Amino acid sequence: MKTIAMNQLRVNEYCGVVHIHTTFSDGGVTYPELVNAAKNTGLDYVVVNDHMTLQGKHAGCEGFAGNVMVVVGYEHHDYQGLNHYLVLGTDAVLQEQAQPQEYVDGVRERGGIGFIAHPMERRHYFKKYPPFPWTEWDVTGYDGIEIWNQMSEWVENLRRWTSYVRVLYPRRFLSSIRPELCAKWDELNRERFVAGLGGVDAHTFKFKAGPFRIRIFPIKVELKGVRTHLYLTTPLPRDNWPAAERQFLDALRDGRGYVSNYRRGDASGTSIFLETQDGSAVLPGRAGSVVLPPARIHVRVPQPAEIRLVCNGELLDCAKGERTEFAVDSPGVYRVEVFRRARAWVYSNPFPVGRYPL
Ligand SMILES: [Zn+2]
Ligand SMILES: [Zn+2]
């Protein structure tokens, strides 16, 4: 955990990895192996989403393990195995809910939160690994979407002639979120707040490359890619799990933070906030919707980079260096993107400035 000062606001930043599969479904890692890897990579939390099971929760794997917070949710799918939804904060799997609108509503009624998984997944080259995009965009009431899915991007670009290199250097190919998905996220946010998170979808499956069988993405490699960073104004209470989990889920649902790719550098310590006219700091996410222009967005990153300001899906401004400030003069959905050597490093959650629809 890092402490960051944003004007008068003291923020605790928790950095972790979301959407991990364990041996309780089709993942390749056990809970003890996962916790060990998370400790060794210095993560503050991990979130497990096995397919249609909360076995990890029922086996008592949830809670603080040393400095690592282990949160157990699951990944719901419809009666055909499609429309995957990352569910957190429920005690039971909603097995009877067959249609996406039913399970989105069911999760909410039980006090949980949910994110659409790999919303625009595409896979061209291998029949064995079909894509599972979200197809039911008329569904309402989900809390957010998985804006970056490490495994999806890797498989999407898999072609036989590059397979060997991809297997040996799996993270080298993580480049950026697809423009169509960014555009969709921005469009959704003009109607209501829709949070973004980054997931790895860690399966650590085995891949046959010629005569070799190689385990792609061993867990310690998985945990060094797409990460989700959360800004919390009070530290998580380690002696009160229900309160800690609620605080964590609220931050995730409200999009208080950003997504990074560790492969481009450790982004921890990145500061992104909006300063209102009276000088108070507002975190990225849902809280921005109470702000009216004019305002300023402040960005500070740990290494020199290209810092971009996006408004309503359009690139509005750009600066090079470790820190910058952007003026916000009119209502709209504002986001910060940070690139290093033409590849994406950081995506902030949106600041919805003004009143909906934006
Ligand atoms: Zn899935
Ligand atoms: Zn998954």
Side-chain angles (χ1 to χ4, degrees):
M1 188 193 64
K2 281 203 167 157
T3 312
I4 305 169
M6 299 179 181
N7 287 5
Q8 81 292 6
L9 200 62
R10 287 226 155 260
V11 174
N12 306 283
E13 180 191 355
Y14 288 79
C15 169
V17 169
V18 182
H19 195 169
I20 296 164
H21 290 276
T22 73
T23 48
F24 284 134
S25 66
D26 56 356
V29 69
T30 63
Y31 270 88
E33 287 165 350
L34 171 62
V35 168
N36 205 27
K39 282 179 181 167
N40 291 338
T41 38
L43 293 177
D44 299 310
Y45 72 88
V46 285
V47 177
V48 173
N49 296 91
D50 278 316
H51 296 282
M52 300 303 276
T53 179
L54 283 168
Q55 234 179 309
K57 188 181 275 234
H58 301 138
C61 301
E62 197 167 58
F64 287 100
N67 289 326
V68 181
M69 182 189 199
V70 181
V71 181
V72 183
Y74 76 100
E75 185 169 10
H76 201 102
H77 55 72
D78 68 16
Y79 68 106
Q80 293 177 298
L82 308 173
N83 291 301
H84 295 193
Y85 193 54
L86 302 175
V87 177
L88 292 163
T90 64
D91 289 330
V93 173
L94 310 177
Q95 249 142 355
E96 74 282 8
Q97 260 83 8
Q99 301 292 342
Q101 187 66 67
E102 291 176 305
Y103 47 83
V104 168
D105 291 343
V107 168
R108 180 159 288 211
E109 281 155 19
R110 285 161 180 79
I113 66 169
F115 286 73
I116 291 174
H118 38 79
M120 289 190 172
E121 193 168 64
R122 291 188 306 196
R123 292 172 178 185
H124 308 295
Y125 304 106
F126 291 93
K127 277 215 175 71
K128 215 172 133 195
Y129 306 116
F132 293 100
W134 186 264
T135 56
E136 305 299 310
W137 287 105
D138 290 340
V139 166
T140 56
Y142 50 88
D143 296 289
I145 64 174
E146 185 181 49
I147 55 167
W148 211 351
N149 180 300
Q150 187 162 299
M151 182 58 88
S152 277
E153 188 175 338
W154 185 80
V155 179
E156 182 178 319
N157 294 311
L158 196 66
R159 288 185 182 86
R160 196 165 293 282
W161 63 272
T162 57
S163 295
Y164 297 92
V165 187
R166 280 176 187 277
V167 166
L168 294 174
Y169 306 102
R171 293 172 305 147
R172 188 194 278 183
F173 297 92
L174 276 176
S175 149
S176 58
I177 305 176
R178 282 228 316 280
E180 305 93 278
L181 184 54
C182 271
K184 183 76 185 171
W185 191 30
D186 288 326
E187 180 199 314
L188 293 169
N189 268 289
R190 295 182 75 169
E191 295 298 319
R192 67 175 181 99
F193 182 73
V194 175
L197 62 72
V200 299
D201 216 353
H203 282 96
T204 53
F205 60 77
K206 292 194 181 74
F207 185 79
K208 199 165 172 287
F212 306 106
R213 273 187 190 280
I214 301 168
R215 188 179 252 222
I216 305 164
F217 283 126
I219 191 66
K220 59 180 188 296
V221 174
E222 282 278 13
L223 300 183
K224 289 182 176 174
V226 173
R227 292 176 168 184
T228 301
H229 304 244
L230 294 175
Y231 292 141
L232 273 71
T233 45
T234 50
L236 294 166
R238 297 176 60 100
D239 54 351
N240 184 345
W241 174 255
E245 188 188 25
R246 193 68 257 166
Q247 207 177 313
F248 174 84
L249 295 181
D250 286 351
L252 205 58
R253 179 200 60 206
D254 291 345
R256 290 201 290 269
Y258 64 95
V259 172
S260 80
N261 179 9
Y262 185 85
R263 170 76 181 165
R264 306 263 82 80
D266 186 358
S268 296
T270 290
S271 164
I272 303 171
F273 68 95
L274 183 139
E275 185 185 56
T276 61
Q277 260 187 306
D278 66 4
S280 50
V282 176
L283 297 175
R286 190 186 300 275
S289 59
V290 297
V291 175
L292 295 175
R296 300 187 77 73
I297 291 176
H298 293 249
V299 185
R300 194 181 66 234
V301 287
Q303 295 188 63
E306 188 184 315
I307 306 169
R308 304 174 181 176
L309 181 69
V310 175
C311 175
N312 295 343
E314 305 279 327
L315 179 66
L316 196 68
D317 207 347
C318 182
K320 287 206 163 86
E322 286 182 29
R323 62 193 306 163
T324 193
E325 270 181 58
F326 295 116
V328 170
D329 297 323
S330 51
V333 180
Y334 292 83
R335 286 191 295 108
V336 172
E337 299 180 349
V338 184
F339 279 66
R340 298 193 75 208
R341 284 172 247 114
R343 287 176 183 240
W345 186 26
V346 165
Y347 289 92
S348 83
N349 257 281
F351 293 96
V353 177
R355 293 192 177 88
Y356 290 110
L358 296 164

